[in-house]
Amino acid sequence: MISSNSTLALLFLCSILIIGCASPQKALNNGNYDKAYKQALKELERGKNMTKNRSVVAKSLDNIIQEQMSISSNLKSSQDLRDIEESIKILQGLQGKIDESSIFLRDKFEMEDELLQSEKENLKTMVAREYFSRGLDYYDEAFGKKDKLAAQDAYYSFDKAAFYEYEDPDLAGLIEKSFDYGQVIYLVDANAPFDITYNWEIDRVFDDVENIDRPFKKFIYENSTAATEIDCEINIRFDDINLGIRERDNEQRYTRDIVIGTEEVTNSDGTKSEIDIIETVEVLVYTKEVTKIAEWGLRLDVRSNGNNCTISDRIFQETITAVIEDVSVSGDQRALPGGIREGSNGRLPSDNELAEELLDILYEEIENHLERR
């Protein structure tokens, strides 16, 4: 005999299966065409309800094409090239759906696919032509005004034209020339003028600026002969490093009752029993907390030799600390709480170790600043 709980569970499972089978059609009826398309296509891939799901895929795809073409039409009428590029992406997306569903729908949307391809190619040609025209304008401005930022704009425009398959025998050369001319050269110098103790270490760390890999930015460290034209001079001046020690003493008393033996006593009824002998012990814990503080600041001064330098002046300041504790005890150590041990829990880093850590932190901040600007 089947229990009522088993019957309810069976009915619930059946309802889930029914809803699952009906969900593509339900999504279609509710106007959720993308959901209907995806669910029905998945069902077809599993070999389920082939006839019904083919119909759902076809109807939902037809509605998707109509909706997306309307959006694409509005976008392509924009004066903004980015909107027209978005329109191209929509057309490509529709072609992708037609392609992935063609295994089940055969050539049902062949005409639509041809129309989409034609429309896409027309838009790509228009966008490519416009980007090439803009590239020429930026190119003339770059070399006419010695403006490397305009050369960068020319490069990006020509590169976009190439992406959309613009055909011009000079395009590759224009891309290369724009890229080369758009390189902004930065000469970086870093030192601590008032304390030369760490200048060698500063050079070791900041020499890495030459490895910064960013489009149109080339950094040279303390070698002005490495480039014929310097666009931007960056002088990094370190303040004196500040090193200090801060100490804080703490005294804590701990007590504990411990059993040191037993004694026999006579109860009121005349019987005898043993009781614990309790002794209260105490201990004093002296803790000396020693904090070593290192603080270092610098100023980044920028001098531009034209209008191509985009990096600004800035002050950087960093502080790091290292802490150790020295514990000593006086009294009965049996009263010590767990976890407290006499002695030191480590050593303080040396001045050089703190300076190296600060340099690494400061360099990372400056590198991020140079890359972003």
Side-chain angles (χ1 to χ4, degrees), residues 269-319:
D269 60 359
T271 61
K272 297 183 181 296
S273 62
E274 288 188 345
I275 62 171
D276 292 334
I277 300 173
I278 304 297
E279 180 182 356
T280 300
V281 296
E282 70 174 26
V283 66
L284 282 174
V285 177
Y286 303 96
T287 304
K288 179 186 288 292
E289 182 184 87
V290 183
T291 302
K292 190 168 186 179
I293 306 165
E295 182 181 68
W296 213 352
L298 61 84
R299 180 178 180 85
L300 188 147
D301 292 318
V302 180
R303 185 166 72 88
S304 177
N305 297 325
N307 62 346
N308 300 310
C309 187
T310 60
I311 295 174
S312 58
D313 295 349
R314 185 171 169 184
I315 293 174
F316 295 85
Q317 188 86 22
E318 282 296 332
T319 302

Side-chain angles (χ1 to χ4, degrees), residues 248-254 283-288 328:
R248 185 175 66 179
D249 294 326
N250 181 58
E251 180 181 305
Q252 183 72 45
R253 184 185 301 274
Y254 297 96
V283 66
L284 282 174
V285 177
Y286 303 96
T287 304
K288 179 186 288 292
S328 60

